[in-house]
Amino acid sequence: MEHKITKKRTILFCVITFTLTWLLLALIPVMGVAYGGIESLVIFMLCMFMPALGNVLTRLTTKQGFHDFKLAPKFKGNGRNYLFAYFSFIILVYLGILVYYLIYSEQFDLTASVMWDFAPDMRTSQIVNLIVVTAISPIINVIPTLGEELGWRGYLLYGLKDSCGSMKAVLFTGIIWGIWHAPMIAMGHNYGTDYPGYPYLGILIMIVFCTFIGVIEGYVTLRTDSALPAAICHSAINGLGSTGILFCSTTQYKMLIGPAYAGIIPFMPTILFAFYILYRIKKEEL
């Protein structure tokens, strides 16, 4: 049995994953479900498992088998890589928040922020909650993020690596991942709908966002030969992505710009770091 992720298998994986995901998302307008409602959240959650399902169905359809499924954590000898996965995006998210509020300092006001307005007598407990959420963010939703990463980093990345090398593979995987999000962005995910160039500008920014995140997640995947560290990175992003909003004294911010992590300004430190990671990928010949 041929276990290699061939070009045909890579294409088939993309076709299956995109088709299943976008059919699921089509249920939202067809059913008249409002974006942000419980039904749409359930559909979005199910979409996170479609890349893993695409991986499985591709292997079954092409009789590839489940050799080297990239699910095994491979902790042995990878302590530093797991520490990198656990803390990198915690640092990058808060660094992005810092950069945003250095530029928009007039928006930064702990006493009037969303965090305190709804429960002014619970400031201490809310601070503790934020610290706890930060600490556990890399594992708080690692199951659904693993649903994505078993597909993107666990399958597509390795298929592309065999055909075009590691550098291009981490970039192309991120680009494809970003395009996969296009219908979600059109529905208002991350950036809303009230901005110039909607939805195309939002989709473009999401592709850039996923591309540079994909460099970092691809790097730690290649170093460990497991999709789990990428899922830990992804979990941290999802868990802390909106944290910047908590420190904002106004609701009149532009979502494309920030203060959430997917905004242009908070994401700038990640782009710079991703360029360094590309250098590491080349230097380490992963």
Side-chain angles (χ1 to χ4, degrees), residues 7-227:
K7 184 176 180 180
K8 288 184 178 180
R9 284 170 174 160
T10 303
I11 294 171
L12 180 61
F13 162 79
C14 290
V15 170
I16 292 173
T17 300
F18 273 69
T19 300
L20 291 175
T21 305
W22 288 9
L23 283 175
L24 263 177
L25 291 171
L27 292 175
I28 294 177
V30 168
M31 296 169 58
V33 172
Y35 170 77
I38 184 65
E39 297 93 341
S40 69
L41 292 177
V42 170
I43 291 173
F44 270 46
M45 180 67 72
L46 289 174
C47 287
M48 294 183 72
F49 291 93
M50 293 305 103
L53 182 57
N55 182 344
V56 171
L57 292 178
T58 300
R59 290 173 181 274
L60 291 174
T61 302
T62 64
K63 295 181 171 58
Q64 179 183 350
F66 292 87
H67 171 76
D68 204 14
F69 192 56
K70 309 303 181 187
L71 181 59
K74 300 184 180 178
F75 292 126
K76 187 176 181 180
N78 282 311
R80 291 177 63 181
N81 293 315
Y82 272 94
L83 286 173
F84 174 88
Y86 202 97
F87 290 105
S88 57
F89 281 99
I90 292 177
I91 294 169
L92 288 169
V93 167
Y94 278 104
L95 186 57
I97 292 171
L98 175 62
V99 171
Y100 179 84
Y101 284 115
L102 284 174
I103 296 173
Y104 292 94
S105 56
E106 73 282 358
Q107 294 183 11
F108 185 71
D109 185 357
L110 283 176
T111 61
S113 68
V114 201
M115 189 186 298
W116 315 135
D117 280 351
F118 73 97
D121 297 330
M122 296 179 61
R123 286 189 190 184
T124 302
S125 62
Q126 291 302 320
I127 292 173
V128 171
N129 287 342
L130 181 59
I131 293 171
V132 171
V133 169
T134 298
I136 67 173
S137 63
I139 57 172
I140 196 170
N141 52 25
V142 76
I143 299 301
T145 58
L146 190 59
E148 284 199 44
E149 298 306 337
L150 277 173
W152 305 128
R153 253 55 60 174
Y155 195 86
L156 179 60
L157 173 64
Y158 284 90
L160 292 173
K161 181 188 175 187
D162 287 343
S163 61
C164 62
S166 297
M167 289 277 286
K168 291 181 180 178
V170 295
L171 291 168
F172 290 156
T173 300
I175 291 170
I176 293 168
W177 183 30
I179 295 171
W180 177 77
H181 285 88
M184 307 176 201
I185 302 302
M187 291 178 190
H189 185 60
N190 281 347
Y191 306 116
T193 58
D194 185 20
Y195 57 86
Y198 163 82
Y200 306 106
L201 181 58
I203 292 171
L204 177 61
I205 293 173
M206 189 63 184
I207 291 171
V208 173
F209 180 76
C210 289
T211 299
F212 286 104
I213 286 174
V215 168
I216 300 168
E217 292 189 0
Y219 172 70
V220 75
T221 299
L222 293 174
R223 282 182 62 89
T224 59
D225 201 34
S226 170

